[in-house]
Amino acid sequence: MKFIKVNLNVLLFSLAYYPWVIAWMFSSTLLKDYLHPYVIINYWQYVGVVFLLVKFLLKHKINILSLLTTLFFIAVAFVVSYGNDNASFVFYSIFLIFSGADQNLEKIIKYTMVLQIVCLLITVFSAVSGIVDNEVVTSTAGNMVRMRHNLGYIFTTFTPNYFLSIVLEYIFIKKLDLSIIELLIIALLNIIIYKLTLTRLTMILVFFILIYLLGIKKIGYERFLSKLSTVSFILLSAISYFISVVYTPQNRILNVLNSVLSERIRLSQVGLQTWGVNLFGTSVNWNSESINYNYIDSSYINILVCYGLVIFVIVIVGFTLVNLRAKQVQNFPLLFVLLMWAIRATIDPQLFLIWFNPFIFYIGKSLLSYKAEEFI
């Protein structure tokens, strides 16, 4: 009789991570009324902490500097999460990010992608088959009237957002080496999802990725894109903040850009003016009604306002260090995907959400001073 060898370190992390992240994936679907994912999320955080603590205690060697660094970041995350309804997940997310630093991150990204695909298929099937409502929502953002299907999600943008995450994870796993058939399938799905949800910005970004993989990649811009990627998070977060602060409807260029971006710049400015920026974030009451809509879609501004300056610095510095390490070992697939995430973060709020962005686990590796070889 053969016994399967189980790596206890991997098992404990998996038990802490996968049930929790699955629950978060279903939390934005209309199936949440049947599955009650928030109950799982709230309870599993306590169970997961136990798994992660046991994982730590079973370590044969403990690096004191890494331990102190981890404890510092976890303490910061606790302060951010305490009493902040919008940031309640930050503590457990940071705990996972730093606990996952010794894991095989490519496998985590791959398995997270598979779970995203399964969750997406179940949700869309539930909407198409009538298990949950496939509502048609009228959107008037950006001076355009659009009829959009929610496809089983609470917002129409979730299907294209998950699709974009899956595309980024898939091209990373494939090392940017996709066949014509794979590119055509992604393009077809992108068109179908756009036709149903009319989410323009994610559709454009997916097509940009496909055009690069199909043509521009052969010309050879790797050196330029590598350099751009290393400064992308610092540069784009600074630009996002600057434009949000100086925006005025009287500026024709900024006004047109704001319209193209479906009022995102104006909403970022309103958020900064209303709640400001402090060290550990602010508990914000979001209003999703079209008349009083106040959600901040830019990840950079959203993190600054909701989770505070300290978490913002951890994320920006962390991803910048990841890019520098990836450049050292010439891991261009990782550099390219993180460049896409840096661009995406200017318009979408998923940068710090693990269930959308498992690449955030690389921050744990980078801030705990793992060798560059770990980023191959």
Side-chain angles (χ1 to χ4, degrees):
M1 183 177 178
K2 291 184 178 180
F3 291 92
I4 300 173
K5 289 185 178 181
V6 177
N7 185 319
L8 193 55
N9 180 288
V10 174
L11 177 62
L12 289 169
F13 178 82
S14 298
L15 289 171
Y17 172 61
Y18 291 112
W20 180 81
V21 85
I22 291 168
W24 269 112
M25 288 176 191
F26 279 107
S27 69
S28 54
T29 74
L30 295 178
L31 289 167
K32 63 186 175 65
D33 296 331
Y34 304 96
L35 302 176
H36 305 292
Y38 285 110
V39 175
I40 298 170
I41 289 165
N42 291 332
Y43 282 106
W44 204 261
Q45 288 181 158
Y46 296 106
V47 175
V49 166
V50 174
F51 285 133
L52 296 177
L53 287 174
V54 172
K55 172 184 174 295
F56 169 75
L57 292 172
L58 292 175
K59 273 192 171 184
H60 298 296
K61 292 182 180 180
I62 297 174
N63 184 304
I64 298 300
L65 181 59
S66 293
L67 173 61
L68 293 175
T69 304
T70 301
L71 290 174
F72 169 76
F73 288 127
I74 289 174
V76 168
F78 178 80
V79 173
V80 171
S81 294
Y82 186 77
N84 187 338
D85 293 336
N86 292 309
S88 59
F89 68 93
V90 171
F91 168 74
Y92 194 64
S93 295
I94 290 291
F95 209 148
L96 281 169
I97 288 166
F98 285 92
S99 296
D102 61 353
Q103 302 293 301
N104 184 324
L105 297 190
E106 285 198 26
K107 284 186 177 180
I108 290 176
I109 290 166
K110 181 180 178 179
Y111 298 153
T112 303
M113 180 193 73
V114 171
L115 293 173
Q116 289 170 342
I117 293 170
V118 171
C119 178
L120 183 61
L121 290 175
I122 291 172
T123 303
V124 173
F125 175 78
S126 300
V128 173
S129 62
I131 297 173
V132 297
D133 290 335
N134 184 16
E135 298 176 5
V136 179
V137 180
T138 303
S139 170
T140 56
N143 298 320
M144 292 178 62
V145 177
R146 292 178 284 174
M147 306 299 289
R148 315 168 74 182
H149 294 263
N150 69 359
L151 299 177
Y153 285 93
I154 56 177
F155 292 112
T156 58
T157 54
F158 277 109
T159 297
N161 282 331
Y162 270 115
F163 178 66
L164 177 55
S165 289
I166 291 165
V167 169
L168 289 171
E169 290 147 14
Y170 186 72
I171 67 172
F172 171 73
I173 292 165
K174 295 282 289 186
K175 306 299 181 187
L176 307 183
D177 187 20
L178 277 66
S179 68
I180 294 295
I181 298 298
E182 289 171 312
L183 294 173
L184 287 174
I185 290 171
I186 293 172
L188 180 61
L189 290 172
N190 195 36
I191 292 169
I192 293 171
I193 291 171
Y194 172 71
K195 287 289 186 182
L196 291 171
T197 66
L198 296 178
T199 305
R200 296 167 296 171
L201 298 174
T202 52
M203 180 269 294
I204 291 169
L205 194 52
V206 169
F207 272 125
F208 173 80
I209 292 167
L210 295 178
I211 290 168
Y212 173 79
L213 295 178
L214 188 61
I216 301 175
K217 179 184 172 186
K218 295 178 182 177
I219 300 172
Y221 283 96
E222 289 191 5
R223 190 174 179 182
F224 169 73
L225 290 177
S226 295
K227 289 182 178 179
L228 182 61
S229 185
T230 55
V231 298
S232 59
F233 285 95
I234 295 173
L235 182 64
L236 290 173
S237 61
I239 290 173
S240 295
Y241 181 80
F242 177 75
I243 290 177
S244 299
V245 170
V246 303
Y247 168 74
T248 171
Q250 284 70 45
N251 186 309
R252 286 181 62 185
I253 295 175
L254 290 181
N255 198 39
V256 170
L257 183 61
N258 180 58
S259 181
V260 169
L261 295 177
S262 302
E263 300 288 316
R264 281 171 167 81
I265 299 174
R266 182 185 65 82
L267 290 168
S268 291
Q269 185 181 74
V270 170
L272 288 168
Q273 291 174 343
T274 305
W275 297 292
V277 177
N278 61 53
L279 284 178
F280 302 109
T282 303
S283 185
V284 176
N285 293 317
W286 300 121
N287 193 326
S288 59
E289 295 178 4
S290 57
I291 298 175
N292 299 309
Y293 187 83
N294 67 349
Y295 192 77
I296 302 172
D297 283 292
S298 167
S299 288
Y300 301 122
I301 309 302
N302 193 304
I303 292 170
L304 260 178
V305 171
C306 294
Y307 316 143
L309 185 60
V310 178
I311 294 294
F312 175 82
V313 171
I314 291 171
V315 172
I316 301 304
V317 171
F319 272 126
T320 300
L321 289 174
V322 173
N323 278 325
L324 289 170
R325 300 282 173 79
K327 188 183 176 200
Q328 275 183 275
V329 294
Q330 298 182 328
N331 186 344
F332 185 69
L334 181 57
L335 284 165
F336 179 77
V337 168
L338 290 185
L339 176 60
M340 295 301 102
W341 261 109
I343 295 169
R344 179 183 184 181
T346 62
I347 55 175
D348 283 333
Q350 293 91 19
L351 182 65
F352 192 71
L353 308 181
I354 298 177
W355 48 99
F356 279 100
N357 180 21
F359 292 97
I360 201 166
F361 279 110
Y362 275 104
I363 286 180
K365 266 194 195 304
S366 69
L367 292 177
L368 291 180
S369 301
Y370 275 69
K371 294 178 181 179
E373 289 72 21
E374 292 282 340
F375 294 81
I376 295 176

